[in-house]
């Protein structure tokens, strides 16, 4: 395979392959919480004597919740096995989707609690900022909940990054003097790194993560099936056209592509 064939479905930026059922459960819980909470909050928005003060407080708390959602979404993106999710754009998309889900819950609640009963004219400025607070709070709750569900299934960020960096570093075995103990030791370390990555990738949940895991496993199996010289050509490539082995050339190109994708997985975009 010479081209990326990864498909990240939109819902996976929320579920990370865990399943949509958790979203539905969280929406139901949040909707009930909104109904109960607003029964007490609504009278307060009407009787507050200093709306600007509370608007400032609601805005500040909302910003904190947005930051929480962003940080937890970023951690899940960085822990995912999908190369598509290891960039800032994916984190921002994930953060946005969590807030859109929360906003849908709040909007439906407001429609039932206020608009359907009293009309839009009864919604004041404080109500709008309170709804913003509810939206960001629910988004943060949903994100933290998903993170907790995935915590035991996805590798820690540092572990994933360190294992990838070890794998890349161990490719230097081809630079060692041929048929020496040093070369054999580092080749063994490289193959151990392959096995460790395969173990990590067995936890892939997203479609793109599963595709990449299968590609990596296929390449590793082919690599281990070669003798020492062929393994070296797979990593280094064949510099001369004469006698070039097409199979080894293809595997070298696949190695280069996989190496690039692995480096995407270990990219630190702090």
């Amino acid at each position: 395979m010479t081209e990326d064939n990864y498909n990240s479905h939109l819902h996976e930026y929320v579920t990370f392959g865990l399943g949509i059922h958790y979203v539905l459960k969280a929406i139901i819980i949040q909707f009930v919480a909104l109904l109960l909470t607003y029964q007490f909050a609504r009278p307060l928005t009407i009787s507050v004597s200093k709306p600007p003060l509370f608007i400032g407080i609601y805005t500040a708390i909302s910003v904190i919740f947005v930051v929480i959602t962003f940080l937890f979404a970023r951690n899940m993106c960085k822990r995912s096995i999908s190369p598509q999710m290891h960039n800032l754009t994916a984190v921002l998309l994930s953060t946005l989707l969590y807030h859109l889900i929360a906003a849908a819950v709040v909007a439906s609640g407001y429609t039932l609690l206020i608009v359907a009963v009293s009309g839009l004219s009864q919604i004041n400025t404080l109500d709008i900022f309170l709804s913003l607070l509810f939206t960001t709070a629910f988004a943060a709750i949903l994100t933290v909940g998903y993170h907790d569900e995935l915590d035991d299934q996805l590798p820690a960020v540092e572990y994933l990054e360190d294992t990838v960096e070890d794998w890349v570093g161990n490719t230097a075995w081809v630079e060692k003097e041929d048929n020496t103990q040093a070369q054999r030791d580092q080749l063994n370390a490289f193959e151990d790194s392959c096995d460790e990555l395969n173990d990590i990738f067995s936890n892939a949940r997203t479609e793109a993560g599963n595709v990449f895991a299968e590609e990596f496993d296929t390449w590793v199996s082919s690599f281990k099936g070669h003798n020492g010289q062929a393994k070296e050509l797979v990593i280094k490539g064949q510099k001369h056209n004469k006698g070039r082995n097409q199979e080894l050339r293809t595997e070298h190109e696949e190695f280069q592509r996989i190496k690039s994708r692995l480096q995407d997985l270990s990219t630190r975009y702090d």
Side-chain angles (χ1 to χ4, degrees):
M1 185 176 294
T2 57
E3 295 182 1
D4 290 341
N5 187 31
Y6 307 135
N7 296 309
S8 291
H9 298 293
L10 192 61
H11 66 81
E12 290 185 327
Y13 288 91
V14 173
T15 67
F16 292 90
L18 188 63
I20 201 69
H21 66 281
Y22 186 84
V23 174
L24 298 177
K25 180 174 71 174
I27 287 175
I28 294 171
I29 293 173
Q30 290 175 356
F31 186 77
V32 172
L34 178 65
L35 294 179
L36 295 175
T37 303
Y38 204 75
Q39 296 302 316
F40 298 97
R42 177 60 178 167
L44 292 176
T45 63
I46 297 175
S47 60
V48 164
S49 59
K50 296 180 179 179
L53 173 62
F54 281 86
I55 287 174
I57 293 174
Y58 292 162
T59 301
I61 297 175
S62 296
V63 170
I64 293 174
F65 283 138
V66 170
V67 172
I68 291 173
T69 301
F70 175 85
L71 292 177
F72 275 84
R74 184 180 68 167
N75 189 272
M76 287 189 288
C77 284
K78 292 177 74 173
R79 292 174 68 178
S80 75
I81 309 302
S82 171
Q84 300 283 78
M85 292 184 176
H86 283 250
N87 57 71
L88 185 58
T89 300
V91 179
L92 294 174
L93 176 59
S94 179
T95 303
L96 174 63
L97 290 174
Y98 278 119
H99 281 93
L100 288 177
I101 293 171
V105 174
V106 173
S108 60
Y110 267 49
T111 299
L112 290 174
L113 292 169
I114 303 178
V115 178
V117 177
S118 306
L120 285 171
S121 60
Q122 294 302 308
I123 297 179
N124 57 41
T125 303
L126 200 57
D127 285 324
I128 294 174
F129 280 88
L130 183 60
S131 69
L132 176 65
L133 176 60
F134 281 144
T135 297
T136 55
F138 288 167
I141 291 171
L142 186 58
T143 314
V144 172
Y146 254 109
H147 185 277
D148 184 60
E149 291 287 318
L150 287 167
D151 199 37
D152 294 331
Q153 302 183 43
L154 296 178
V157 173
E158 294 78 10
Y159 179 58
L160 176 60
E161 291 175 342
D162 289 345
T163 305
V164 170
E165 290 173 3
D166 286 345
W167 184 90
V168 173
N170 285 329
T171 59
W173 69 270
V174 296
E175 306 301 331
K176 302 291 184 181
E177 186 178 350
D178 288 344
N179 300 318
T180 61
Q181 188 61 44
Q183 186 186 55
R184 287 191 290 271
D185 288 344
Q186 191 153 11
L187 172 58
N188 289 334
F190 175 72
E191 292 185 344
D192 287 343
S193 296
C194 289
D195 293 337
E196 194 168 1
L197 283 174
N198 259 331
D199 184 58
I200 290 175
F201 294 164
S202 67
N203 295 312
R205 292 291 179 269
T206 63
E207 181 176 332
N210 283 319
V211 169
F212 183 61
E214 290 175 5
E215 291 175 359
F216 183 76
D217 181 61
T218 299
W219 181 85
V220 170
S221 296
S222 297
F223 175 80
K224 288 186 175 182
H226 294 306
N227 60 32
Q229 184 179 12
K231 287 180 178 179
E232 188 170 341
L233 292 175
V234 168
I235 301 300
K236 294 178 68 174
Q238 301 170 89
K239 298 179 180 180
H240 307 289
N241 290 325
K242 185 177 180 179
R244 173 169 289 181
N245 184 305
Q246 182 61 42
E247 179 185 352
L248 297 182
R249 176 185 177 184
T250 300
E251 289 185 34
H252 172 68
E253 292 172 350
E254 182 71 352
F255 162 74
Q256 295 284 63
R257 192 185 65 82
I258 285 176
K259 180 179 178 181
S260 176
R261 296 287 73 78
L262 284 172
Q263 289 173 325
D264 288 342
L265 292 185
S266 67
T267 297
R268 293 176 169 84
Y269 48 89
D270 296 319

